[in-house]
């Protein structure tokens, strides 16, 4: 979870993630974790800037050969 998603926007400081969206995200992550667990896998959930969290996770795991990601569409 990127803390920047819970700050206000540049224009008018509207919240990027309100309480309803946050609840949906938390429920979705919980459901995904439970589904993966039933299949013998797991889900790593972290809080922080992705550029820091992913780097730290790669360092921790030590044997990562590839990382896939998508970039968020930025506000104009």
């Amino acid at each position: 979870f990127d803390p920047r998603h819970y700050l206000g926007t540049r224009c008018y400081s509207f919240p990027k993630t309100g309480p309803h969206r946050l609840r949906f995200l938390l429920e979705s992550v919980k459901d995904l974790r439970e589904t993966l667990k039933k299949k013998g896998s797991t889900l790593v959930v972290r809080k922080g800037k992705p550029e820091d969290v992913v780097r730290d996770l790669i360092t921790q795991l030590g044997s990562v050969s590839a990382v896939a990601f998508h970039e968020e569409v930025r506000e104009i």
Side-chain angles (χ1 to χ4, degrees):
F1 288 92
D2 187 340
R4 295 173 290 196
H5 289 190
Y6 307 95
L7 303 174
T9 58
R10 285 186 307 170
C11 299
Y12 310 109
S13 197
F14 290 124
K16 289 182 177 183
T17 304
H20 299 291
R21 183 175 184 194
L22 178 58
R23 184 177 330 120
F24 172 77
L25 288 171
L26 293 172
E27 289 171 355
S28 298
V29 168
K30 180 181 177 185
D31 183 65
L32 177 58
R33 176 178 272 162
E34 290 170 0
T35 300
L36 289 170
K37 188 175 181 180
K38 289 176 187 174
K39 297 183 180 288
S41 190
T42 189
L43 178 66
V44 176
V45 179
R46 298 285 189 268
K47 176 184 171 188
K49 293 180 179 179
E51 57 270 25
D52 298 331
V53 171
V54 172
R55 181 194 63 232
D56 294 345
L57 190 56
I58 290 170
T59 302
Q60 179 185 359
L61 294 172
S63 63
V64 176
S65 60
V67 176
F69 66 93
H70 76 278
E71 185 173 354
E72 179 183 8
V73 176
R74 302 281 179 176
E75 298 175 36
I76 296 176

